[in-house]
Amino acid sequence: MKTLPWLCAALLAGVSATAISVPKQASAEDTLTVISWGGAYQESQRKAFMEPYAKETGAKINEGEYNGEIAKIRAMVESKSVTWDVVDVDTQTALAACAEGTLETIDWAKLGLDRSKFIGGDIADCAVPNILYSTVIAYDTTKLKPGPTKITDLFDMQKFPGKRALQKSPFVNLEWALIADGVPMADIYKVLNTPEGVDRAFKKLDTIKKDVVWWESGAQPPQLLADGQVAIASDWNGRFFDAVKKDKKPFQIVWDGQAPDYDWWAMPKGTPNLDAAYKFIAWSSQPGPMAEQTKYISYGPANKDAGPNISAEVLKDLPTAPDNMKNVLYVDPQFWADNGDQLRERFNAWLSK
């Protein structure tokens, strides 16, 4: 993920915007189904992309939500019953689904977009990067005084007692466990690539397992924090941002050990509305709409030309702000694409013990 640090530089440098052509105009006959992750994130997409696009073009957009399961996309494609046209996927899903032929290969010429303008545009051939988000931890400042300041504090039950809310997935949790167990950030995936390293990560997770509330939807952690059910929670940074800005929650994000990743627009192989899907992705990937999304959620747009359209007030809350990038865990998406199924199986077996 060596391209990730470039997003900060691209946004803060104020890259000059350039016009990008869009495929032929969408029409009222265009109907497509767009699937995303729900909650504050999908609300930001609705306000910045879905609603303005439908209003401008007359196209009809049906929305749906999912939890990122590649299995759902795979089942549709294998049964030749694809009903989703555009899906928001994370990087490991983009890479794995592309490798197995589950997603359409992106024709950038058909999109009318300059691939080099997109941070991470060279990572996957079957998806178009749309945002950079980060998995972080946060706490309620009225309940933890002082609060945690580093990712290792997540595992310090003595200094910071109370339940933890963690995603019901090995993703990032295994990396954080190794960091807390003393593995240098630069060696995380070297260690995790060994059976002994995986055992070591699970052994560290064992130390807090009885105190973890496992979440499956990004809307859950802010609510668990607000209700006092947990002392520290992990989530995508935009969910905590939304709770602070919109709901005035006294939450503090701990940026130490943040794990940035991309989300992407992808099209399941065999979608019957391929042309309409291309038009929507092309429109949504323009600098203007991408910058507009940052007004509703604190994720960094992948299109470099969106930078000049983002205010300094918004920039400071993005994962890519310099003050937030001091100790970053750069997730290795290829590792998760190659090992994700096996590690999820191991994780689920561990949970059931």
Side-chain angles (χ1 to χ4, degrees), residues 212-224:
V212 174
V213 177
W214 300 101
W215 59 266
E216 297 183 76
S217 163
Q220 291 174 267
Q223 193 61 54
L224 289 167

Side-chain angles (χ1 to χ4, degrees), residues 19-22 111-113 118 281-291 303 306:
I20 300 177
S21 61
V22 183
L111 278 176
L113 298 173
F118 287 77
I281 293 175
W283 190 95
S284 301
S285 300
Q286 303 299 308
M290 280 202 165
N303 190 326

Side-chain angles (χ1 to χ4, degrees), residues 71-210:
K72 285 193 174 182
I73 305 173
R74 184 187 296 133
M76 285 186 189
V77 173
E78 290 177 350
S79 64
K80 300 188 185 306
S81 56
V82 177
T83 57
W84 294 355
D85 303 308
V86 178
V87 185
D88 188 296
V89 298
D90 58 21
T91 304
Q92 57 177 301
T93 300
L95 293 173
C98 189
E100 67 185 30
T102 302
L103 299 176
E104 295 281 350
T105 300
I106 299 298
D107 182 344
W108 286 83
K110 184 172 182 177
L111 278 176
L113 298 173
D114 181 350
R115 189 172 184 174
S116 70
K117 292 285 187 181
F118 287 77
I119 307 297
D122 58 344
I123 294 176
D125 291 330
C126 297
V128 177
N130 58 41
I131 57 100
L132 182 140
Y133 70 96
S134 210
T135 304
V136 296
I137 61 171
Y139 65 97
D140 186 326
T141 58
T142 66
K143 294 170 183 171
L144 278 184
K145 298 178 181 179
T149 59
K150 52 189 185 297
I151 196 62
T152 53
D153 292 338
L154 177 66
F155 291 81
D156 192 336
M157 300 302 300
Q158 274 196 318
K159 189 174 181 181
F160 303 101
K163 297 284 188 181
R164 273 60 169 149
L166 296 178
Q167 187 175 14
K168 195 176 181 181
S169 167
F171 181 67
V172 177
N173 289 326
L174 294 183
E175 290 95 325
W176 281 348
L178 288 178
I179 293 170
D181 204 44
V183 177
M185 197 87 79
D187 296 335
I188 292 297
Y189 290 102
K190 183 167 66 175
V191 173
L192 205 51
N193 257 309
T194 67
E196 297 79 13
V198 173
D199 289 344
R200 182 176 175 181
F202 276 102
K203 186 176 180 181
K204 188 64 177 178
L205 283 174
D206 277 335
T207 65
I208 62 171
K209 183 180 181 182
K210 66 180 177 61

Side-chain angles (χ1 to χ4, degrees), residues 5 15 17 24 55 59 66 71 88 99 103 118 120 158 177 182 188 198 224 237 245 279 283 306-307 311 326-327 344:
V15 185
K24 66 177 183 178
K55 183 177 181 180
Y66 81 139
D88 188 296
L103 299 176
F118 287 77
Q158 274 196 318
I188 292 297
V198 173
L224 289 167
N237 70 284
K245 296 297 183 182
K279 294 171 192 173
W283 190 95
S311 71
K326 292 177 180 177
N327 191 34
R344 278 186 285 273

